[in-house]
């Protein structure tokens, strides 16, 4: 059974940093692109970033470029999102998701339960 | 960036009746190399993560009831629930994975009338 479990969320002051983790199990982690998607309270879904199987390619939405870094550790079946210079508009539930089929441009077929990040003074 | 616009924003349908949600893309998501539409649909119930229902615009994900169907091509797409059940109350999102950045529609809230 595919499982994705996020952790690392919490309350942080504006300008602060957090590192989110996603522990993957039930599939061959290093065979899939992985992605982060966020959802602000009461709002819709926003794609944040994705990463290739070997970590050699990463992409992110313009609003987080230069502040957020996606990475992975295939030996530990883990995905990460390092978030720096956090702003109020980064407040959201952050979901880790698997990109289907092993290709970059595919739907997100499995999602974690999410971890809440609150940026507030 | 590709903008996806869903309509309506909210919808109330009687149990057993048909529900139809539309998604219009600001540019085509039909890939000429494989003739596939890079468009998916997700269902999100309160307090839960999104669940993939439909991909390639019309292919039902494994385990999804056949009352859910997707149609359309190019820039105009539709999600149809043929006979609404109580458990279908949720917010539905379309998603284009044709290009980076991936984008989502704003969501359509489906309720029981």
């Amino acid at each position: 059974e595919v499982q994705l479990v996020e952790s690392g969320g919490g309350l942080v002051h504006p300008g602060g940093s957090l590192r989110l983790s996603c522990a993957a199990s039930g599939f061959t982690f290093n065979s899939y692109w992985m992605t982060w998607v966020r959802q602000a309270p009461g709002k819709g879904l926003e794609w944040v970033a994705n990463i290739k199987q070997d970590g050699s390619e990463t992409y992110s939405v313009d609003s987080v470029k230069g502040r957020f870094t996606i990475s992975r550790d295939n030996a530990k079946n883990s995905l990460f999102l390092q978030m720096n210079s956090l702003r109020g508009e980064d407040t959201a539930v952050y979901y880790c998701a698997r990109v289907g089929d092993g290709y970059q441009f595919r739907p997100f077929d499995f999602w974690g339960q999410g971890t809440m990040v609150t940026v507030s003074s | 960036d590709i903008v996806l616009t869903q309509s309506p924003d909210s919808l109330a349908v009687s149990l057993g009746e048909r529900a139809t949600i539309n998604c219009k893309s600001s540019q085509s998501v039909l890939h000429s190399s494989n003739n596939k539409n890079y468009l998916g649909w997700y269902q999100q119930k309160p307090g839960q993560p999104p669940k993939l229902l439909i991909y390639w615009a019309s292919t039902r994900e494994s385990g999804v009831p056949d009352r859910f169907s997707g149609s359309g091509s190019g820039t105009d797409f539709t999600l149809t629930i043929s006979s609404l059940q109580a458990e279908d109350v949720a917010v539905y999102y379309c998603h284009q994975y044709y290009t980076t950045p991936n984008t989502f529609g704003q969501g359509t809230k489906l309720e029981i009338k």
Side-chain angles (χ1 to χ4, degrees), chain B residues 51-97:
Chain B
K51 174 188 173 184
L52 179 64
L53 296 177
I54 302 284
Y55 56 97
W56 301 134
S58 60
T59 302
R60 204 178 300 117
E61 176 73 327
S62 175
V64 173
D66 61 7
R67 63 180 181 273
F68 291 90
S69 63
S71 63
S73 184
T75 61
D76 292 279
F77 301 92
T78 300
L79 174 70
T80 301
I81 307 172
S82 60
S83 176
L84 190 70
Q85 305 299 303
E87 60 265 32
D88 301 334
V89 169
V91 178
Y92 293 84
Y93 295 93
C94 55
H95 164 223
Q96 68 79 17
Y97 45 95

